[in-house]
Amino acid sequence: MNSTQQRTISTCSRRDVLRQAGVGLSMTAATTFAPFVFSGCSRQRASLPSVPKVKVGILHSQTGTMSMHESSLRDAELLAIEEINADGGVLGHHIDPIVKDTRSGFTDIFPKKATELLSDDRVSTVFGCWTSSSRKAVVPLFERFNGMLFYPLQYEGNESSYNVVYSGSVPNQQIIPAVDWLVSREGGSKRRFYLVGSDYIFPWTAHHILEACIAGPGRQNIEIVGFRYLPLGHRDFAETVRGIQVAEPDVIFSTINGISNQYFFRELASQAVSAEKTPVISTSVGEDELRGMMPSHVEGQLATWHYFQSINTPRNRRFARRFRSAHGEDRVLSDPMEAAYSQVYLWKSAVEKAESFEVDAIRDAFSSAVEFHAPGGELKLDPKSFHAYKRCRIGRARGDGQFDIVYESPGVIPPDPYPTVAFPGWNCDWTRGGITQGEQVRISRPNNDGATS
């Protein structure tokens, strides 16, 4: 197809298009440059000049347990794509997003849909996943097909792949700084930690790192007084909260994910476990999660992230205005959403640097700094590990569903997916051959009675 040919598209509004994507519409094409039609809009159609297109995949759950969270990532990624297209696209191409609903099927549907994107749709790259279970289920496919996955979530580390860009925080940028702050005078000199999390990879490994951090030099008077793991989607926290009260911790460190957070905080409020006396610091509760909770249940509670919507900069305020204009004034932004949005631009920067959409060329572009001025601050990719430099910020929940930032690291923190305190001898440097293995570290899944399996 040459530049003089015509294509017909619907003149749907932005919200019409995004609504269709939200119910799983795949914007597919027979070839990279084939025409496509958005159906379902009654507005008049118009003929526009043809623009070459490059296909990318969006791989998120839009139904099921994680739909509330992952649909927001889809919305953020589609906003970035729309902005880039409106600004002329990438290398003269408009981005054609193919949206797949993985239906919260972490180990079965995610691999199936990833295979469709890589093998059938032959996308240039994929933006996707939330849980570590879903990421680990698809990484072997990206390595097999030599695809590229951009993963936006903070996660447990202990992983590197030549086919994955990790644009969220790792524990040395989120968990370890949070512990350092909690035990400091500014953070309340906390000494007794209770760990509670969802029963999957991220909480197990995050707690392994947290335990190693607490057991480190100078931490002799700090202890873990209990822990509890519950299935994803768990709703009955009465026994868990009673156990927390018996243990009498100074702080509850939570890696609970998904809708379970609503029920956990409701039960804390029901049993009068207050943020003033026994605060919770969460790794997976942001502004988007607060929308589903009673303000009285979470006001005063803490969260550790890189990004909060309340960051008071012109760039972040513009980002918030654009997102609400596209998706509704009642919508809010969170750390995973900011990372999902920003990683699309990070990919764009790498493509333009490589002057190619080919995965090998894009990866070669990572050998020197690839950057984007993101809403949360400068986003830079580490060429050694394909992880991002990040700040650590700690926020205290307000009654209006936003956070007051009570701590910010002095500067961006270089990513270390294998912090020495937990993974001695391990390292990743793709500029020097890849992963260096150290001591064998077995991440055990603790049973709630204190044993491991």
Side-chain angles (χ1 to χ4, degrees):
M1 177 174 290
N2 59 46
S3 60
T4 63
Q5 290 177 294
Q6 301 291 307
R7 70 186 176 103
T8 302
I9 68 170
S10 163
T11 55
C12 306
S13 70
R14 168 168 50 197
R15 194 164 298 171
D16 292 330
V17 172
L18 295 176
R19 184 182 300 114
Q20 292 182 62
V23 297
L25 174 67
S26 293
M27 294 172 275
T28 57
T31 67
T32 302
F33 307 115
F36 63 91
V37 175
F38 289 130
S39 62
C41 297
S42 59
R43 300 188 184 187
Q44 184 178 359
R45 298 175 183 268
S47 294
L48 298 175
S50 174
V51 178
K53 295 187 291 295
V54 56
K55 293 188 288 186
V56 302
I58 292 182
L59 189 69
H60 290 303
S61 299
Q62 295 157 67
T63 53
T65 302
M66 297 301 297
S67 60
M68 178 181 75
H69 310 281
E70 295 197 56
S71 293
S72 291
L73 302 191
R74 174 207 65 206
D75 291 346
E77 288 156 356
L78 288 173
L79 176 64
I81 289 169
E82 179 188 292
E83 291 176 352
I84 292 169
N85 285 344
D87 198 37
V90 186
L91 299 185
H93 291 63
H94 277 185
I95 306 170
D96 180 10
I98 301 178
V99 182
K100 300 287 187 178
D101 180 10
T102 47
R103 306 198 303 274
S104 302
F106 307 130
T107 59
D108 52 355
I109 303 176
F110 265 92
K112 177 182 177 182
K113 297 299 182 180
T115 300
E116 291 175 5
L117 288 170
L118 294 167
S119 179
D120 301 338
D121 300 308
R122 303 185 68 82
V123 297
S124 172
T125 198
V126 175
F127 307 102
C129 300
W130 179 294
T131 67
S132 290
S133 299
S134 62
R135 184 193 70 251
K136 286 184 177 294
V138 302
V139 166
L141 295 168
F142 282 87
E143 294 173 342
R144 172 186 167 193
F145 288 101
N146 193 32
M148 184 64 70
L149 171 67
F150 279 70
Y151 176 68
L153 262 290
Q154 97 292 358
Y155 85 110
E156 71 279 359
N158 193 30
E159 178 183 300
S160 296
S161 173
Y162 205 43
N163 295 81
V164 181
V165 171
Y166 304 81
S167 62
S169 298
V170 285
N172 81 298
Q173 299 166 317
Q174 184 191 30
I175 292 173
I176 294 175
V179 172
D180 290 341
W181 181 77
L182 287 166
V183 302
S184 72
R185 181 178 300 176
E186 292 78 11
S189 301
K190 307 302 183 186
R191 295 294 180 263
R192 294 169 59 83
F193 284 65
Y194 193 103
L195 313 184
V196 60
S198 298
D199 196 1
Y200 75 107
I201 300 165
F202 168 59
W204 305 341
T205 311
H207 289 179
H208 168 78
I209 295 169
L210 193 150
E211 289 174 27
C213 181
I214 286 176
R219 300 279 172 83
Q220 292 83 356
N221 60 340
I222 301 171
E223 60 180 325
I224 295 173
V225 298
F227 61 83
R228 192 79 178 172
Y229 292 91
L230 293 310
L232 280 167
H234 189 74
R235 301 190 176 200
D236 184 1
F237 285 91
E239 180 184 349
T240 299
V241 174
R242 285 194 292 269
I244 290 172
Q245 295 208 74
V246 170
E248 296 184 337
D250 296 328
V251 62
I252 303 164
F253 206 104
S254 173
T255 53
I256 294 173
N257 212 330
I259 196 171
S260 294
N261 276 298
Q262 298 180 18
Y263 299 92
F264 176 56
F265 282 99
R266 185 172 70 184
E267 188 61 38
L268 287 171
S270 176
Q271 295 193 34
V273 179
S274 68
E276 292 76 16
K277 182 180 178 182
T278 313
V280 179
I281 185 164
S282 297
T283 61
S284 299
V285 173
E287 295 87 340
D288 210 31
E289 288 72 30
L290 293 187
R291 288 197 303 154
M293 302 183 191
M294 288 285 292
S296 60
H297 293 170
V298 290
E299 189 171 0
Q301 303 288 13
L302 302 168
T304 174
W305 295 104
H306 161 75
Y307 171 87
F308 290 100
Q309 185 179 318
S310 55
I311 293 173
N312 190 20
T313 63
R315 183 173 295 272
N316 187 48
R317 291 195 296 271
R318 286 195 299 271
F319 172 49
R321 284 198 302 270
R322 287 195 298 265
F323 186 84
R324 289 196 299 265
S325 175
H327 296 289
E329 292 300 319
D330 61 327
R331 295 293 297 276
V332 296
L333 293 159
S334 65
D335 180 282
M337 294 167 68
E338 189 263 359
Y341 169 88
S342 300
Q343 69 181 8
V344 179
Y345 278 96
L346 200 65
W347 168 78
K348 175 179 181 287
S349 296
V351 166
E352 291 174 339
K353 185 177 178 182
E355 299 183 341
S356 172
F357 295 111
E358 295 299 321
V359 168
D360 289 338
I362 293 170
R363 189 163 40 223
D364 288 343
F366 296 158
S367 61
S368 58
V370 174
E371 301 182 3
F372 168 63
H373 196 174
E378 199 65 36
L379 178 64
K380 182 172 71 172
L381 191 66
D382 177 16
K384 295 180 180 180
S385 65
F386 298 170
H387 288 68
Y389 284 73
K390 293 277 186 173
R391 290 183 184 270
C392 177
R393 295 180 172 100
I394 296 175
R396 179 174 285 115
R398 306 191 311 226
D400 64 353
Q402 292 294 316
F403 288 87
D404 289 321
I405 298 173
V406 298
Y407 168 77
E408 181 173 322
S409 60
V412 292
I413 303 171
D416 183 3
Y418 303 98
T420 301
V421 68
F423 305 104
W426 287 79
N427 186 44
C428 179
D429 188 346
W430 294 119
T431 68
R432 296 187 175 182
I435 299 172
T436 301
Q437 298 189 12
E439 298 179 18
Q440 291 298 313
V441 178
R442 179 172 178 262
I443 303 299
S444 300
R445 177 216 176 273
N447 293 322
N448 288 325
D449 60 3
T452 59
S453 61

